[in-house]
């Protein structure tokens, strides 16, 4: 996703920043302290604290780099500021019904904050792509691995 902007809600950006700050300000200093203590104990090749600490520090540094790139590419979009609230765009809470009248409520959020079990679907997911620009009453077909599924937009909210 290099070179592209990454739409994200203010809450999603705050969660990314909190994770970054926690890793940088809490976890990494603790690991650095353990590694330097373990390094002072002599033979590093058999020192579990040293080996684990170095491995964990690489994981933290890799995650910090990833979070930093994601935050730099992030474009914070406040859903309530959407000019056309009659259509489904980023940040919308959309109520859908399938052919059997089973209702499903989804929130269109950034890919970094998606959580399907909580009904938050990523902006680049197949369902979100199908819903972009939909109005109440529109039928949208989503291509899923199990085949095509048709959804009707019942309600759109930007609360």
């Amino acid at each position: 996703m290099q070179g592209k902007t990454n739409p994200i809600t203010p809450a999603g950006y705050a969660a990314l920043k909190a994770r970054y700050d926690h890793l940088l300000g809490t976890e990494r200093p603790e690991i650095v302290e353990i590694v330097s203590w373990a390094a002072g104990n002599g033979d590093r090749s058999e020192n579990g604290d040293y080996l684990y600490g170095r491995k964990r520090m690489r994981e933290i540094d890799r995650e910090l780099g990833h979070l930093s790139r994601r935050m730099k590419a992030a474009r914070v979009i406040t859903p309530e500021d959407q000019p056309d609230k009659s259509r489904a765009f980023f940040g919308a809470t959309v109520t859908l019904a399938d052919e059997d009248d089973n209702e499903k409520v989804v929130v269109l959020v950034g890919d970094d904050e998606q959580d399907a079990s909580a009904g938050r679907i990523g902006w680049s997911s197949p369902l979100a792509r199908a819903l972009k620009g939909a109005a109440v009453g529109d039928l949208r077909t989503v291509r899923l691995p199990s085949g095509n599924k048709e959804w009707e937009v019942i309600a759109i909210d930007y609360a």
Side-chain angles (χ1 to χ4, degrees):
M1 182 157 205
Q2 207 155 359
K4 293 183 181 178
T5 59
N6 173 28
I8 194 166
T9 62
Y13 188 83
L16 280 181
K17 178 126 179 58
R19 176 70 180 152
Y20 182 88
D21 292 344
H22 173 74
L23 286 172
L24 189 64
T26 306
E27 267 194 66
R28 193 173 194 288
E30 289 171 2
I31 296 297
V32 167
E33 192 175 311
I34 290 169
V35 168
S36 45
W37 167 82
N41 288 340
D43 186 9
R44 295 176 184 175
S45 66
E46 294 181 12
N47 187 326
D49 286 330
Y50 179 80
L51 296 175
Y52 170 76
R54 293 287 299 170
K55 178 178 183 273
R56 181 66 187 131
M57 199 170 349
R58 282 191 301 274
E59 291 168 355
I60 289 171
D61 289 343
R62 190 169 27 255
E63 188 174 353
L64 284 170
H66 172 76
L67 290 170
S68 174
R69 286 188 300 278
R70 299 305 290 169
M71 288 189 306
K72 195 175 287 181
R75 184 173 53 126
V76 178
I77 298 173
T78 306
E80 295 84 23
D81 295 345
Q82 193 64 252
D84 183 4
K85 292 184 173 53
S86 68
R87 297 196 170 275
F89 293 111
F90 185 84
T93 301
V94 183
T95 305
L96 305 166
D98 64 9
E99 296 93 359
D100 303 322
D101 286 333
N102 295 321
E103 285 196 5
K104 176 179 190 169
V105 177
V106 296
V107 183
L108 306 177
V109 296
D111 292 333
D112 289 323
E113 53 188 324
Q114 65 187 346
D115 179 3
S117 64
R120 295 192 313 264
I121 60 170
W123 187 232
S124 62
S125 71
L127 181 56
R129 285 196 310 265
L131 290 174
K132 287 178 189 174
V136 173
D138 285 358
L139 292 174
R140 294 298 170 110
T141 303
V142 182
R143 181 170 294 153
L144 301 171
S146 60
N148 290 347
K149 182 159 185 153
E150 194 169 71
W151 294 94
E152 181 183 355
V153 178
I154 303 296
I156 299 170
D157 186 33
Y158 285 93

